[in-house]
Amino acid sequence: MIGLGYVGLPLIREFMEKKLEVIGFDIDLSKIEKLNRGESYLHNFPSSVTKTWAESGRFHATDDFSQLENVEFILICVPTPLNEYKEPDLSYVAKTTEVIAKYLKKGQLVILESTTYPGTSEEVMLPVLEANGLKAGVDFFLAYSPEREDPGNKDFSTAKIPKVVGGYTPKCLEKAISLYQEIVEVVPVSSIKVAEAAKIVENTYRAINIALVNELKMLFDRMDIDIWEVIDAAKTKPFGFQAFYPGPGLGGHCIPIDPFYLTWKAKEFEFNTRFIELAGEINTYQPYYVVQKVSDALNHHKKSVKGSKILILGVAYKKDVDDMRESPALKIYELLREKGAIVAYYDPYVPETGPHRHYPHVNIKSITYAADKIADFDLVLLLTDHSNLPYEEILEKAQLIVDTRNGFKQNSPKIFRS
Ligand SMILES: NC(=O)c1ccc[n+]([C@@H]2O[C@H](COP(=O)([O-])OP(=O)(O)OC[C@H]3O[C@@H](n4cnc5c(N)ncnc54)[C@H](O)[C@@H]3O)[C@@H](O)[C@H]2O)c1
C-alpha cells in the first residue's frame, strides 16, 4: 500500500482482517514510525487496530521502496490535489509511478486508487511503467479502482462499499477482481477510463447538488423560508429526491477538487464543463456569504465586525473528523480578521490548525472550552456541527449565534442562519 493516509489505512485494515501480508509505504517518516509502534495518527482510525497490525508479524511500514520487489499487488493511495491555478497536480502519482517502475517485476499488479481524471492510468502511468521493457497485460498488470471511503461515516466502513474496478486488459481486470473480492463486493467495468470517470462523476454530483442547495439557501433566506425545514419536508418523498445540505463552503480532499480534474481534461476536447464551473462559483462564494451574515447579525446588535470578538465553533471540513484539508474555516477566519474582528476558535478534534496549503502563515490553536468563556464573545459562529459540541449550553451562554449547519436545530432570537 503506497500512501498511508485517510484512504490507505482503512484499506490495509480490510486486507489484514483477511490475514494477508501487507507492507505500507510512505515518504512521511513519522507515520512509518508510528505504525511500526502500533500507533494510529488519524482521529477516526483507532490505535487498537494498528496495534494488532504491529503485533501480527504480517505488517510493517517503510520508506524503503526496494521492498516493492517482494509484493504481488501494489495499491497507490497518494494525494491528487490541485495546483494554484486549479489544475490537476499529478506530481505525487508521477513520482510514485517512477519508483514503482524502478522495481517493477513480472507478474505484479499495479492499481491506482487515487481520484483523478479519465486517462491518467493509461496516459500518465502506463508509458512510465513500460519504459523498462515490461509489457502491461502480459508481463505486469494495470488496473484502476477508485476509493470511496467516507471518513467519519460509521454506517459505511470500507468493507460495505462496493468497489468499482477497471483493468487495462481482461487479464488485468481478472487479477484485480481476485484481490478485491477477498474484502468487498466488486463492480467490474469495461475499461480503466470508465472506472476513473465513475469516481469523478460521483464527486461532481455531490459538488453540484451542494451548490444547488447553497443557492436555494440564499434565495429562501431572502424569502424568509427555512431551507432546513424545506429539505426535511422534500426528503420524505420516497423516490426522485436525495437530500443535500447547505454549509459554509466545500471542504475536504475530494469534493472541492475532483470535479476540476474533469474540467481540466475536458479542455483537451474543446469542451467547457459549465455545471462544474457554476457549482464551483456558488460554493466558493459561501465563505463570503457567511461573513456577510456575521456582519448582519452584529449589525442587529448595533455592533460592527471591526473590534468584535468572534468564536468559531469547528474548523474541520465536516462533522466528527479532524481533517482540515480545504476547510472553508480558514478562509472565513481570514476574511473576518481582514475586517478587524478578533477571532478565536474551538474544535475538539483540531487542537491547532497547522500551516495550511493556502494559508501557510496561519497557525492558530483551539481555545480550551469552558462554558463561562462563551458569553465573552460578541458572536459565536458555528462552522462544523461536531456531534459532541454542548449546543444547549452554548445557546444559553452566547450573546449571538450564526449557525451555518443547523447544528442548534431550533429557532431562537439569538440564532441567525447562514
Ligand atoms: N480522504 C478521503 O475521504 C478520500 C476518499 C476517497 C478518495 N480519496 C482519494 O484518495 C487519495 C488519497 O487521499 P487521502 O485522503 O488518503 O490522502 P492523505 O494525504 O491522507 O494520504 C496520502 C499519503 O500519501 C503519502 N505520500 C505522498 N507522496 C508519496 C509518495 N511519493 N510515496 C509514498 N507515499 C506518499 C503522504 O505522506 C500521505 O501519508 C486522493 O486521490 C483522494 O482524492 C480520498
Side-chain angles (χ1 to χ4, degrees):
M1 191 74 62
I2 304 183
L4 306 174
Y6 287 90
V7 162
L9 292 194
L11 266 173
I12 293 178
R13 179 184 196 159
E14 299 309 323
F15 290 120
M16 288 299 290
E17 278 179 13
K18 295 295 172 195
K19 307 284 179 234
L20 300 188
E21 285 180 43
V22 181
I23 306 179
F25 294 90
D26 207 293
I27 49 171
D28 183 337
L29 289 178
S30 71
K31 287 183 178 167
I32 291 168
E33 282 161 14
K34 282 192 180 131
L35 285 182
N36 286 336
R37 284 200 302 266
E39 291 166 25
S40 171
Y41 34 79
L42 299 178
H43 156 71
N44 294 96
F45 202 87
S47 283
S48 56
V49 174
T50 46
K51 190 163 174 283
T52 61
W53 299 355
E55 290 167 355
S56 71
R58 288 184 288 109
F59 173 84
H60 70 274
T62 181
D63 66 339
D64 172 10
F65 287 83
S66 70
Q67 293 184 32
L68 282 171
E69 288 179 342
N70 306 330
V71 304
E72 267 178 272
F73 303 101
I74 300 171
L75 280 69
I76 307 166
C77 306
V78 296
T80 46
L82 294 171
N83 68 18
E84 57 189 307
Y85 304 108
K86 283 213 167 197
E87 293 163 347
D89 172 3
L90 281 181
S91 59
Y92 300 89
V93 172
K95 280 194 194 115
T96 305
T97 309
E98 277 164 28
V99 84
I100 294 172
K102 191 169 162 197
Y103 298 108
L104 191 63
K105 272 195 351 194
K106 279 196 171 181
Q108 285 182 325
L109 169 65
V110 179
I111 311 173
L112 181 64
E113 292 252 357
S114 304
T115 310
T116 186
Y117 59 79
T120 305
S121 306
E122 286 160 335
E123 294 160 18
V124 179
M125 295 176 66
L126 185 67
V128 178
L129 294 172
E130 287 190 330
N132 296 335
L134 293 182
K135 191 100 195 81
V138 180
D139 302 313
F140 74 97
F141 304 96
L142 182 64
Y144 179 83
S145 180
E147 183 47 54
R148 294 160 139 179
E149 184 67 19
D150 185 11
N153 186 338
K154 293 192 175 64
D155 297 333
F156 291 100
S157 61
T158 310
K160 285 192 186 155
I161 308 170
K163 214 142 178 18
V164 171
V165 183
Y168 179 58
T169 64
K171 184 82 185 150
C172 295
L173 178 61
E174 192 187 303
K175 278 249 177 197
I177 293 173
S178 76
L179 173 69
Y180 287 119
Q181 70 186 9
E182 292 276 337
I183 59 166
V184 73
E185 181 193 334
V186 178
V187 183
V189 293
S190 65
S191 70
I192 283 194
K193 273 193 186 127
V194 169
E196 289 167 331
K199 172 71 187 182
I200 290 270
V201 166
E202 289 165 18
N203 285 358
T204 300
Y205 172 81
R206 287 186 60 77
I208 287 174
N209 279 287
I210 292 168
L212 175 64
V213 288
N214 276 333
E215 185 173 76
L216 294 174
K217 165 189 79 177
M218 295 186 288
L219 169 65
F220 287 164
D221 185 37
R222 271 193 208 178
M223 297 169 73
D224 202 19
I225 298 170
D226 180 347
I227 180 79
W228 296 92
E229 193 181 349
V230 172
I231 296 170
D232 279 348
K235 77 179 185 190
T236 58
K237 183 176 179 179
F239 52 89
F241 181 85
Q242 189 187 350
F244 285 85
Y245 298 97
L250 292 184
H253 183 23
C254 299
I255 313 297
I257 292 176
D258 304 344
F260 292 101
Y261 267 64
L262 192 56
T263 296
W264 179 84
K265 187 67 179 170
K267 292 202 166 71
E268 190 183 313
F269 297 84
E270 295 182 339
F271 195 94
N272 290 328
T273 52
R274 287 182 292 158
F275 261 112
I276 294 176
E277 297 281 4
L278 177 61
E281 200 180 298
I282 295 170
N283 289 328
T284 309
Y285 175 64
Q286 293 315 303
Y288 296 89
Y289 183 75
V290 170
V291 170
Q292 183 58 46
K293 273 279 156 182
V294 167
S295 173
D296 294 349
L298 286 167
N299 189 49
H300 202 72
H301 276 211
K302 300 189 176 61
K303 289 180 183 173
S304 62
V305 176
K306 189 169 181 145
S308 283
K309 287 178 75 183
I310 296 174
L311 177 67
I312 292 176
L313 284 181
V315 292
Y317 84 88
K318 70 170 182 176
K319 74 191 283 184
D320 301 340
V321 302
D322 60 353
D323 192 348
M324 277 289 297
R325 288 177 297 175
E326 311 297 321
S327 172
L330 284 182
K331 176 84 196 170
I332 292 168
Y333 173 85
E334 282 288 84
L335 290 173
L336 288 171
R337 294 230 325 161
E338 275 165 24
K339 289 187 183 299
I342 302 149
V343 192
Y345 86 88
Y346 171 63
D347 191 313
Y349 299 118
V350 186
E352 61 183 296
T353 59
H356 188 271
R357 208 157 62 90
H358 301 302
Y359 304 97
H361 56 288
V362 179
N363 188 9
I364 35 174
K365 286 190 167 62
S366 170
I367 63 160
T368 312
Y369 179 82
D372 54 12
K373 286 184 186 168
I374 298 296
D376 293 344
F377 291 92
D378 297 289
L379 184 140
V380 173
L381 170 59
L382 180 71
L383 293 184
T384 316
D385 52 335
H386 293 308
S387 310
N388 61 359
L389 290 174
Y391 291 100
E392 285 295 324
E393 191 173 79
I394 293 169
L395 177 58
E396 190 195 319
K397 305 278 182 192
Q399 297 183 35
L400 190 58
I401 292 171
V402 170
D403 183 353
T404 66
R405 303 279 192 178
N406 197 25
F408 289 88
K409 297 199 171 30
Q410 57 182 292
N411 291 319
S412 152
K414 276 187 189 177
I415 299 177
F416 285 69
R417 296 271 174 72
S418 172

